[in-house]
């Protein structure tokens, strides 16, 4: 599963880990991605979305239909 949110577009950030001796090594900061299943009443089916935890809160606020419309507007497949 790729670390990419379908709704917000959140993806990994890259940076450096810095040790006590200040040696720098590459690392990545992954968003908190979860797979969540929602009932899409307009289409009479369930959809499984790959969302960040922030996007899950957004779906709770705006509703599943509006969230799916935003994903499709961004060119995503649901």
């Amino acid at each position: 599963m790729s670390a990419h949110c379908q709704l917000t577009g959140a993806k990994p950030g890259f940076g450096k880990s810095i040790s006590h001796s200040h040696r720098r090594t590459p690392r990545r900061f992954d968003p908190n991605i979860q797979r969540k299943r929602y009932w899409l009443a307009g289409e009479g089916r369930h959809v499984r979305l790959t969302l960040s935890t922030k996007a899950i809160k957004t779906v709770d606020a705006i509703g599943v239909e509006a969230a799916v419309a935003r994903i499709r507007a961004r060119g995503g497949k649901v």
Side-chain angles (χ1 to χ4, degrees), residues 6 34-51 59 63-69 71-72 77-78:
Q6 289 180 299
Q34 309 292 323
R35 290 195 56 167
K36 194 135 168 68
R37 189 172 165 230
Y38 291 101
W39 173 252
L40 197 56
E43 298 181 16
R45 67 185 183 106
H46 284 96
V47 292
R48 189 175 299 276
L49 302 175
T50 305
L51 302 170
V59 170
V64 181
E65 300 283 341
V68 169
I71 291 170
R72 288 181 174 150
K77 183 181 172 197
V78 177

Side-chain angles (χ1 to χ4, degrees), residues 2 5 7 9-10 13 19 26 33 35-37 40 50 52 62 64 69:
S2 70
C5 177
L7 183 60
S19 70
I33 299 293
R35 290 195 56 167
K36 194 135 168 68
R37 189 172 165 230
L40 197 56
T50 305
S52 63
I62 67 172
V64 181

Side-chain angles (χ1 to χ4, degrees), residues 12-59:
F14 295 89
K16 303 280 187 185
S17 289
I18 303 177
S19 70
H20 178 69
S21 64
H22 265 277
R23 290 180 64 97
R24 289 170 165 86
T25 54
R27 62 158 294 180
R28 58 187 261 173
F29 298 88
D30 286 327
N32 189 358
I33 299 293
Q34 309 292 323
R35 290 195 56 167
K36 194 135 168 68
R37 189 172 165 230
Y38 291 101
W39 173 252
L40 197 56
E43 298 181 16
R45 67 185 183 106
H46 284 96
V47 292
R48 189 175 299 276
L49 302 175
T50 305
L51 302 170
S52 63
T53 51
K54 181 180 177 181
I56 291 172
K57 293 174 189 174
T58 302
V59 170

